[in-house]
Amino acid sequence: MMTRKLPIIAVATAQGKAGVGVVRISGQNLQPIASSLFQKKLSPRQANLLTLCDEHGEAIDQLIAIYFAGPASFTGEDVLELQCHGGPQLLELVIKRCLELGKNEGLVIAEPGEFTLRAYLNNKIDLTQAEAIADLIDAQSEAAVRGAARSLQGAFSDDINNLIEEITQLRILVESTLDFPEEEIEFLENAQARQRLAAVKEKLQALRAGAKQGKILRDGIQLVLAGAPNVGKSSLLNRLAGEEVAIVTPIAGTTRDRVKESIAVDGVPMHIIDTAGLRETSDIVEAKGIERSWDAIRLADMVIFLTDAQVGNQEDALKAQILKELPPKCAVLEVVNKADLLPESPKLPSDQALLISAKTGVGIDRLKQKILEIVGWDGPQEGTILARRRHLDCIERAAEHIEKSEQFAANGNNSLELFAEELSLAQKHLGEITGKLLPDDLLGKIFSQFCIGK
Ligand SMILES: Nc1nc2c(ncn2[C@@H]2O[C@H](COP(=O)(O)OP(=O)(O)OP(=O)(O)O)[C@@H](O)[C@H]2O)c(=O)[nH]1
Ligand SMILES: [Mg+2]
């Protein structure tokens, strides 16, 4: 997929019925295909009302065709956009007819993300912008849309490129000094190398903080509700979701399978998983469910350990067991439920613990805010950019090399080569974000996550 040059075709609009459905073709020279489709040469950037006919000359659809001559197009190649009527069967016929008429030119169905991949390979967009297109389409909240749109406009790439440029300047300085060992220190002092390095470090930290927020906004939080049977996990899920998604009964062991529901709090997606109550059981079905509870706990970003206020703090063994299974960096929040059943507030198991009632809704808003606080969400902010784990990893690796380079810079003589080397490694990791220095296999992985037609 990575290097094929054949013209490609796909439906660009969503599956299902709609007023309009767009079929898109991209290739190095599409005039021959356009001519066989419509028996005329299409002028670029003009809306042409045309009829596409089958092999017997019967109309398949009347449509609007727009020809974008490369490189002034989305992919950088020639692009032919057919705005058809939006029926799934009709669009399939249009595609079939185009494939027949484009056979000589080698027209094939596009792979997922192939249009965007071509835009990237033809330098129309960089990798963060390509990712932003996927994120913009997947965005589930207004904040996520705005964050992805900012990335697509190039805000994130600009920050990265500015930082790379500053590191490059510093590298040039250090590497040119290497040729004059006797003047090393003085030269670097005069050029304020250390101050410049400190400035780079500061910007990198700001970038990391921003990317962390962006990642929360994009990926959201995997929140697992865990605890003994009957404490009210399913009731809490229903309360958070605002609808009856899980079955609630007074019988312990009601929930067998995981129940998932996503909500947005403050624009942040929360993917909540209600699990089977944890206990020893001889029931085979329940035991399977409990196994799944543990699986969910092992993949969580945060676990809400729910207890029943009437039972008191008798769940220490279970809590210890959960703490043992948690993935690194996963937080646990202790929440005591059924507050409505007690005449006064009970003593909570810890300072962080919260008291709620899934039944009456008391404490639920506080709980939502607490979850956001624990994952480090600073609230919707001007300029937040949607970011991915991949970006954060690259930024963190770059930061490590900048820290090392700082140490070498402080050592002065004899360390300058290492100083330069660390700078170059930091630069390499930043370059991976925008895709300037990215291995092909990783590129394939990123684009294969797109759907067809993008
Ligand atoms: N009074 C009161 N009852 C509650 C509250 N939350 C849940 N309950 C009741 O407690 C019982 C168990 O609730 P569930 O939500 O099914 O508990 P669970 O933790 O999902 O139980 P399992 O699925 O068996 O593990 C039901 O009768 C609920 O109505 C609450 O805040 N107050
Ligand atoms: Mg339940």
Side-chain angles (χ1 to χ4, degrees), residues 150-193:
R150 264 180 227 119
S151 271
L152 185 55
Q153 294 300 312
F156 191 32
S157 320
D158 287 350
D159 287 348
I160 303 283
N161 289 333
N162 288 339
L163 209 51
I164 290 178
E165 179 55 28
E166 281 180 42
I167 297 175
T168 307
Q169 291 304 325
L170 207 53
R171 265 184 72 190
I172 293 172
L173 180 72
V174 177
E175 280 174 20
S176 59
T177 313
L178 286 175
D179 298 334
F180 307 98
E182 62 289 349
E183 295 166 26
E184 276 183 7
I185 290 304
E186 204 181 332
F187 191 86
L188 287 180
E189 290 294 334
N190 288 345
Q192 299 194 309

Coordinates of all heavy atoms in Angstrom, one line a residue, residues 150-193:
R150 N -7.6 22.6 15.3 CA -6.3 23.4 15.5 C -5.1 22.6 15.0 O -4.2 23.2 14.3 CB -6.2 23.7 17.0 CG -6.7 25.0 17.4 CD -6.5 25.2 18.9 NE -7.8 25.7 19.4 CZ -8.5 25.2 20.3 NH1 -8.1 24.1 20.9 NH2 -9.6 25.7 20.7
S151 N -5.1 21.3 15.2 CA -4.0 20.5 14.7 C -3.9 20.5 13.2 O -2.9 20.6 12.6 CB -4.1 19.0 15.2 OG -3.5 18.9 16.4
L152 N -5.1 20.4 12.6 CA -5.2 20.3 11.2 C -4.7 21.6 10.6 O -4.1 21.6 9.5 CB -6.6 20.0 10.8 CG -6.9 19.8 9.3 CD1 -6.0 18.7 8.7 CD2 -8.3 19.4 9.0
Q153 N -5.0 22.7 11.2 CA -4.5 24.0 10.7 C -3.0 24.1 10.9 O -2.4 25.1 10.4 CB -5.2 25.2 11.5 CG -6.7 25.3 11.4 CD -7.1 25.5 9.9 OE1 -6.5 26.4 9.2 NE2 -8.0 24.8 9.4
G154 N -2.4 23.2 11.6 CA -0.9 23.2 11.7 C -0.4 23.8 13.0 O 0.8 24.0 13.1
A155 N -1.3 24.1 14.0 CA -0.8 24.7 15.2 C 0.2 23.8 15.9 O 1.2 24.2 16.4 CB -2.0 25.0 16.1
F156 N -0.1 22.5 16.0 CA 0.7 21.6 16.7 C 2.1 21.4 16.0 O 3.2 21.5 16.5 CB 0.0 20.2 16.8 CG 0.7 19.2 17.8 CD1 1.4 19.6 18.9 CD2 0.6 17.9 17.5 CE1 2.0 18.7 19.8 CE2 1.2 16.9 18.4 CZ 1.9 17.4 19.5
S157 N 2.0 21.2 14.6 CA 3.2 21.1 13.8 C 4.1 22.3 13.9 O 5.3 22.2 14.0 CB 2.8 20.9 12.3 OG 1.7 20.1 12.2
D158 N 3.5 23.5 14.0 CA 4.3 24.7 14.1 C 5.1 24.7 15.4 O 6.3 25.1 15.4 CB 3.4 26.0 14.1 CG 2.8 26.2 12.7 OD1 3.3 25.6 11.7 OD2 1.9 27.1 12.6
D159 N 4.4 24.3 16.5 CA 5.1 24.3 17.8 C 6.3 23.3 17.7 O 7.4 23.6 18.1 CB 4.2 23.8 18.9 CG 3.2 24.9 19.3 OD1 3.4 26.1 18.8 OD2 2.2 24.6 20.0
I160 N 6.1 22.2 17.1 CA 7.1 21.2 17.0 C 8.2 21.7 16.1 O 9.4 21.6 16.5 CB 6.6 19.8 16.4 CG1 5.4 19.3 17.2 CG2 7.7 18.8 16.3 CD1 5.8 18.6 18.5
N161 N 7.9 22.2 15.0 CA 8.9 22.7 14.0 C 9.7 23.8 14.6 O 10.9 23.9 14.3 CB 8.2 23.1 12.7 CG 7.7 21.9 11.9 OD1 8.3 20.8 12.1 ND2 6.7 22.0 11.1
N162 N 9.1 24.7 15.3 CA 9.9 25.8 16.0 C 10.9 25.3 16.9 O 12.0 25.7 17.0 CB 8.9 26.8 16.7 CG 8.1 27.6 15.7 OD1 8.5 27.7 14.6 ND2 7.0 28.1 16.2
L163 N 10.5 24.3 17.7 CA 11.4 23.7 18.6 C 12.5 23.0 17.9 O 13.7 23.1 18.3 CB 10.6 22.7 19.5 CG 11.0 22.5 20.9 CD1 11.2 23.8 21.7 CD2 10.0 21.6 21.7
I164 N 12.2 22.2 16.9 CA 13.2 21.6 16.1 C 14.2 22.6 15.6 O 15.5 22.4 15.6 CB 12.6 20.7 15.0 CG1 11.9 19.5 15.5 CG2 13.7 20.3 14.0 CD1 11.2 18.7 14.5
E165 N 13.7 23.7 15.1 CA 14.6 24.7 14.5 C 15.5 25.3 15.6 O 16.7 25.5 15.4 CB 13.7 25.9 14.0 CG 14.5 27.0 13.3 CD 15.5 26.6 12.3 OE1 15.2 25.6 11.6 OE2 16.5 27.3 12.1
E166 N 15.0 25.5 16.8 CA 15.9 26.0 17.9 C 16.9 25.0 18.3 O 18.1 25.4 18.5 CB 15.0 26.3 19.1 CG 14.3 27.7 19.0 CD 13.4 28.0 20.2 OE1 13.9 27.8 21.3 OE2 12.3 28.5 20.0
I167 N 16.6 23.7 18.3 CA 17.6 22.7 18.6 C 18.6 22.7 17.5 O 19.8 22.5 17.7 CB 16.9 21.4 18.8 CG1 16.0 21.4 20.0 CG2 18.0 20.3 19.1 CD1 15.2 20.2 20.3
T168 N 18.2 22.8 16.2 CA 19.1 22.8 15.1 C 20.1 23.9 15.2 O 21.3 23.7 15.1 CB 18.3 23.0 13.8 OG1 17.3 22.0 13.7 CG2 19.2 22.8 12.6
Q169 N 19.6 25.1 15.6 CA 20.6 26.2 15.7 C 21.6 25.9 16.8 O 22.8 26.2 16.6 CB 19.8 27.5 16.1 CG 18.9 28.0 15.0 CD 19.7 28.3 13.7 OE1 20.8 28.7 13.7 NE2 19.1 28.0 12.5
L170 N 21.1 25.3 17.9 CA 22.0 25.0 19.0 C 23.0 24.0 18.6 O 24.2 24.0 18.9 CB 21.2 24.5 20.1 CG 21.7 24.7 21.6 CD1 22.1 26.1 21.8 CD2 20.6 24.3 22.6
R171 N 22.6 23.0 17.8 CA 23.5 21.9 17.3 C 24.6 22.5 16.4 O 25.7 22.2 16.5 CB 22.7 20.9 16.5 CG 22.3 19.7 17.3 CD 21.6 18.7 16.4 NE 22.5 18.0 15.5 CZ 22.1 17.3 14.5 NH1 20.8 17.1 14.3 NH2 23.0 16.6 13.8
I172 N 24.1 23.4 15.5 CA 25.1 24.0 14.6 C 26.2 24.7 15.4 O 27.4 24.6 15.2 CB 24.4 25.0 13.7 CG1 23.5 24.3 12.7 CG2 25.4 25.9 12.9 CD1 22.6 25.2 11.9
L173 N 25.7 25.4 16.5 CA 26.7 26.1 17.3 C 27.6 25.2 18.0 O 28.9 25.4 17.9 CB 25.8 26.9 18.4 CG 26.6 27.7 19.4 CD1 27.2 28.9 18.7 CD2 25.7 28.1 20.5
V174 N 27.1 24.1 18.6 CA 28.0 23.2 19.3 C 28.9 22.4 18.4 O 30.1 22.3 18.6 CB 27.1 22.2 20.1 CG1 28.0 21.2 20.8 CG2 26.2 22.9 21.1
E175 N 28.3 22.0 17.2 CA 29.2 21.2 16.3 C 30.2 22.0 15.7 O 31.3 21.6 15.4 CB 28.3 20.5 15.3 CG 27.7 19.3 15.9 CD 26.7 18.5 15.1 OE1 26.7 18.7 13.9 OE2 25.9 17.8 15.6
S176 N 30.0 23.3 15.4 CA 31.0 24.1 14.9 C 32.1 24.4 15.9 O 33.3 24.6 15.6 CB 30.5 25.5 14.3 OG 29.8 26.1 15.3
T177 N 31.7 24.4 17.2 CA 32.7 24.6 18.2 C 33.6 23.4 18.4 O 34.8 23.6 18.8 CB 32.0 24.8 19.6 OG1 30.9 25.8 19.4 CG2 32.9 25.4 20.6
L178 N 33.1 22.3 18.0 CA 33.9 21.0 18.2 C 35.2 21.1 17.4 O 36.2 20.5 17.8 CB 33.1 19.8 17.6 CG 32.0 19.3 18.5 CD1 31.2 18.2 17.9 CD2 32.5 18.9 19.9
D179 N 35.2 21.9 16.3 CA 36.5 22.0 15.5 C 37.5 22.9 16.1 O 38.6 23.0 15.7 CB 36.1 22.6 14.1 CG 35.2 21.6 13.4 OD1 35.2 20.4 13.7 OD2 34.4 22.0 12.5
F180 N 37.1 23.6 17.2 CA 38.1 24.5 17.8 C 38.1 24.3 19.3 O 37.6 25.0 20.1 CB 37.7 26.0 17.6 CG 37.5 26.3 16.1 CD1 36.2 26.4 15.6 CD2 38.6 26.6 15.3 CE1 36.0 26.6 14.2 CE2 38.4 26.9 14.0 CZ 37.1 26.9 13.4
P181 N 38.7 23.1 19.7 CA 38.6 22.7 21.1 C 39.1 23.7 22.1 O 38.5 23.8 23.1 CB 39.5 21.4 21.1 CG 39.9 21.1 19.7 CD 39.5 22.3 18.8
E182 N 40.1 24.4 21.7 CA 40.7 25.4 22.7 C 39.8 26.5 23.1 O 39.8 27.1 24.1 CB 42.1 25.9 22.3 CG 42.2 26.7 21.0 CD 41.9 25.9 19.7 OE1 41.9 24.6 19.8 OE2 41.8 26.5 18.7
E183 N 38.8 26.7 22.2 CA 37.9 27.9 22.4 C 36.5 27.4 22.9 O 35.6 28.3 23.1 CB 37.8 28.7 21.1 CG 39.1 29.4 20.7 CD 38.9 29.9 19.3 OE1 37.8 30.2 18.8 OE2 40.0 30.0 18.6
E184 N 36.4 26.1 23.0 CA 35.0 25.6 23.3 C 34.2 26.4 24.3 O 33.1 26.9 24.0 CB 35.2 24.1 23.8 CG 35.3 23.1 22.7 CD 35.3 21.7 23.3 OE1 35.1 21.5 24.5 OE2 35.6 20.8 22.5
I185 N 34.7 26.4 25.5 CA 33.9 26.9 26.6 C 33.5 28.4 26.4 O 32.4 28.7 26.5 CB 34.7 26.7 28.0 CG1 34.7 25.2 28.3 CG2 34.0 27.5 29.1 CD1 33.3 24.6 28.3
E186 N 34.6 29.1 26.1 CA 34.3 30.5 25.9 C 33.3 30.8 24.8 O 32.4 31.6 25.0 CB 35.7 31.2 25.6 CG 35.7 32.7 25.9 CD 37.0 33.2 25.5 OE1 38.0 32.5 25.4 OE2 37.1 34.4 25.2
F187 N 33.5 30.1 23.8 CA 32.6 30.2 22.6 C 31.1 30.0 23.0 O 30.2 30.7 22.7 CB 33.0 29.3 21.5 CG 32.4 29.5 20.2 CD1 32.9 30.4 19.3 CD2 31.2 28.8 19.9 CE1 32.3 30.6 18.1 CE2 30.6 29.0 18.7 CZ 31.1 29.9 17.8
L188 N 31.0 28.8 23.7 CA 29.6 28.5 24.1 C 29.0 29.5 25.1 O 27.8 29.8 25.1 CB 29.6 27.1 24.8 CG 29.8 25.9 23.8 CD1 29.8 24.6 24.5 CD2 28.7 25.9 22.7
E189 N 29.9 30.0 26.0 CA 29.4 31.0 27.0 C 28.9 32.2 26.3 O 27.8 32.7 26.5 CB 30.5 31.4 28.0 CG 30.9 30.3 28.9 CD 29.9 29.9 29.9 OE1 29.0 30.8 30.2 OE2 29.9 28.8 30.4
N190 N 29.7 32.6 25.3 CA 29.4 33.9 24.6 C 28.1 33.7 23.8 O 27.3 34.6 23.7 CB 30.5 34.2 23.6 CG 31.7 34.7 24.3 OD1 31.6 35.1 25.5 ND2 32.9 34.8 23.7
A191 N 27.9 32.5 23.3 CA 26.7 32.3 22.5 C 25.5 31.9 23.4 O 24.4 31.6 22.9 CB 27.0 31.2 21.5
Q192 N 25.7 31.9 24.7 CA 24.6 31.7 25.6 C 24.0 30.3 25.4 O 22.8 30.2 25.4 CB 23.6 32.8 25.5 CG 24.1 34.1 25.9 CD 23.0 35.1 26.1 OE1 22.1 35.3 25.3 NE2 23.1 35.8 27.3
A193 N 24.8 29.3 25.1 CA 24.3 28.0 24.8 C 23.4 27.4 25.9 O 22.4 26.9 25.6 CB 25.5 27.0 24.5

